[in-house]
Amino acid sequence: MMKLVILGLLACSQVVLSNPIGEPSAAQPQDLDELAVLTEFDRLFNQLHYDIDYKLRIYRMNHSRDLKNLNAQFISRYGFVITDIQHKKQQVKDAILEHALDIGDTQNPCIVEKNDEAIRRATQAARDLSVAAEKIYGDMATITRVYFYPIVKDFQQTSSEFQWAVLEVLSRDNAVTGLQLALADLSFKYMANANMVNRVVDNLDYELEGFQDIINSLRRGAFKEIDDIGRNYVFNMEQLLTDALTC
């Protein structure tokens, strides 16, 4: 249907171009036809802008949803590991205290040293988690900035330019003596961009597919790093407790 409309506009433009610029009395109906075509072009370009803008909004919403879910997964994973570290720290401290009471010497230098070491290792694990979070945050910010928003911004700019496409052509062509040429320019401009919506969808689908692959890789690496911090802490605390029980 859209092709029929634009072909009709092209035909109208060609008919107008074929007619000589005549006397004012003969030009009035022609001018009205030209202005109607001009208005129709403005409507078509604005519809093209709306269609592209709608697609971009959908992609931005989906992208935001994916980032929200990923962020929730990271926070949840951190929560599990932090809880494990807190529980293990308290468990070891309680076991060391119980051993100190059993031997009747809570101020034993060996006991005090192991207790301080338990606190130090918990503090170090917390620092390691903070460093991991900082790295993940930086990677996410970079990936989003490089792989998604640039192409969305480019298409948004192109879409916005369609809103003043008619005005842009009129700023170059003589609207008094060369309106027919302006209509022809608009015809070719629209035909060249009529499939822009499909191009937007294809490009964003491609970008999002690559973005998702990178996100999956980042998720695997981040989860492994977070889990390793928790596992290493638990293992080291078990070793510390074993040593403390020999005091």
Side-chain angles (χ1 to χ4, degrees):
M1 181 62 184
M2 187 60 68
K3 287 185 177 180
L4 293 177
V5 172
I6 196 61
L7 287 174
L9 293 176
L10 275 169
C12 179
S13 299
Q14 291 171 353
V15 169
V16 169
L17 282 169
S18 66
N19 291 332
I21 301 176
E23 298 79 5
S25 59
Q28 288 178 0
Q30 176 179 304
D31 290 342
L32 292 176
D33 290 340
E34 291 171 346
L35 291 176
V37 175
L38 199 64
T39 301
E40 179 62 13
F41 270 122
D42 186 53
R43 186 193 70 79
L44 288 174
F45 277 110
N46 272 285
Q47 184 62 45
L48 188 58
H49 158 75
Y50 175 82
D51 292 342
I52 294 174
D53 202 51
Y54 175 77
K55 292 293 185 182
L56 291 175
R57 286 200 302 271
I58 296 299
Y59 276 103
R60 281 194 294 264
M61 288 173 57
N62 291 340
H63 179 69
S64 296
R65 180 201 60 205
D66 291 342
L67 291 182
K68 175 185 175 183
N69 292 339
L70 182 63
N71 186 58
Q73 292 171 8
F74 284 143
I75 292 175
S76 177
R77 200 62 162 243
Y78 267 95
F80 288 136
V81 173
I82 290 172
T83 299
D84 288 344
I85 289 175
Q86 289 175 333
H87 286 171
K88 193 62 181 180
K89 180 187 74 171
Q90 193 60 47
Q91 178 187 9
V92 170
K93 284 174 62 66
D94 290 344
I96 292 175
L97 176 59
E98 183 179 354
H99 177 66
L101 293 174
D102 288 342
I103 64 176
D105 187 3
T106 57
Q107 297 303 315
N108 183 298
C110 178
I111 293 292
V112 173
E113 177 190 354
K114 300 305 180 185
N115 193 59
D116 290 344
E117 181 64 14
I119 297 174
R120 188 196 69 78
R121 290 188 179 184
T123 302
Q124 183 60 50
R127 290 198 190 100
D128 292 341
L129 286 173
S130 294
V131 171
E134 182 180 7
K135 180 177 180 296
I136 294 169
Y137 171 76
D139 288 344
M140 283 299 304
T142 300
I143 290 170
T144 301
R145 186 170 60 249
V146 171
Y147 285 93
F148 185 78
Y149 286 114
I151 191 170
V152 170
K153 181 180 179 181
D154 289 343
F155 279 126
Q156 186 68 64
Q157 179 64 31
T158 300
S159 172
S160 297
E161 289 174 357
F162 287 140
Q163 289 185 288
W164 54 78
V166 173
L167 186 62
E168 188 271 333
V169 170
L170 291 178
S171 71
R172 291 186 286 102
D173 295 337
N174 189 320
V176 176
T177 61
L179 186 56
Q180 304 95 328
L181 293 176
L183 295 177
D185 286 346
L186 286 168
S187 297
F188 292 118
K189 183 180 180 68
Y190 185 85
M191 290 297 289
N193 292 284
N195 68 337
M196 180 60 73
V197 177
N198 291 334
R199 287 160 57 190
V200 169
V201 171
D202 290 343
N203 276 274
L204 286 180
D205 281 344
Y206 176 79
E207 288 294 325
L208 286 178
E209 182 178 353
F211 179 81
Q212 195 60 52
D213 290 340
I214 295 172
I215 287 299
N216 290 337
S217 177
L218 175 63
R219 181 192 290 109
R220 288 191 297 269
F223 281 3
K224 182 180 184 303
E225 184 174 5
I226 295 169
D227 291 344
D228 284 347
I229 292 172
R231 280 193 295 266
N232 289 338
Y233 175 79
V234 170
F235 175 80
N236 290 332
M237 291 297 282
E238 290 287 353
Q239 292 295 109
L240 178 66
L241 179 58
T242 299
D243 294 342
L245 294 179
T246 63
C247 292

